[in-house]
Amino acid sequence: FAPTFAILLLTWQEHHSFFRRYGAHDGVTIWLNGLLLFVVLFYVYPLKFLMTMLIGPRGMLVGGRPEGVSDAQVPGLMVMYAVGFIALFVILAALHWRALVCLRHEREPGVDLDALRVHLGACLVYVSIGVLSLLIVRLLPPRVGLPASGFAYGLIGPAHYLYYRV
């Protein structure tokens, strides 16, 4: 449960920071926010199975195999995780894009459009990591692709470091 909660906390932090920084509340933003909520609610269910499969009491990282998860289902779980991860950050990027469009027309004091563009790009870094993981799990043989697709998420930190350096 804790790793699943940590992932949801990351999403919530991005969401919270967005609305604190920009306070957007137009119709498109409300619909995007609703879509984000829908994806989060949908995403929790497969995420629970993935985390149980990986680090549960009989999870793969402790040398076991949890009951109810067959070898044939593992690639599907990794694909669902990647698609959910991509969807979350595409929506967050869309929220930032929408704020940028709105703020170009009506400037608000204290809002830095350059910082907004940087945050938009940071969301796209997450998207690129999710796409990389999805490509790995779909294109490589399962023996290599499954673990590599999971380890691709370990590139989030270095990718953000490089993004902010550039």
Side-chain angles (χ1 to χ4, degrees), residues 28-161:
V28 174
T29 302
I30 291 168
W31 278 99
L32 286 170
N33 192 41
L35 182 60
L36 181 68
L37 180 59
F38 174 80
V39 171
V40 166
L41 290 173
F42 180 80
Y43 184 57
V44 169
Y45 191 67
L47 185 59
K48 173 197 174 283
F49 284 107
L50 179 66
M51 289 301 161
T52 300
M53 179 191 70
L54 292 175
I55 59 175
R58 286 180 254 158
M60 294 172 80
L61 293 180
V62 292
R65 165 69 89 210
E67 293 176 19
V69 179
S70 69
D71 287 340
Q73 293 172 317
V74 176
L77 283 172
M78 293 305 290
V79 167
M80 282 168 70
Y81 178 78
V83 168
F85 188 86
I86 292 165
L88 288 174
F89 286 100
V90 163
I91 296 167
L92 284 167
L95 283 167
H96 283 81
W97 179 262
R98 180 66 187 164
L100 187 60
V101 168
C102 291
L103 291 170
R104 281 185 186 154
H105 299 296
E106 293 183 34
R107 298 286 288 221
E108 288 187 24
V111 175
D112 181 0
L113 292 182
D114 290 331
L116 176 54
R117 287 182 194 94
V118 168
H119 291 292
L120 170 61
C123 289
L124 296 176
V125 170
Y126 284 112
V127 171
S128 66
I129 296 295
V131 169
L132 175 64
S133 175
L134 184 61
L135 289 172
I136 289 171
V137 76
R138 298 298 289 168
L139 298 177
L140 294 179
R143 196 173 129 248
V144 176
L146 289 174
S149 68
F151 287 121
Y153 295 98
L155 296 173
I156 290 171
H160 272 99
Y161 175 79

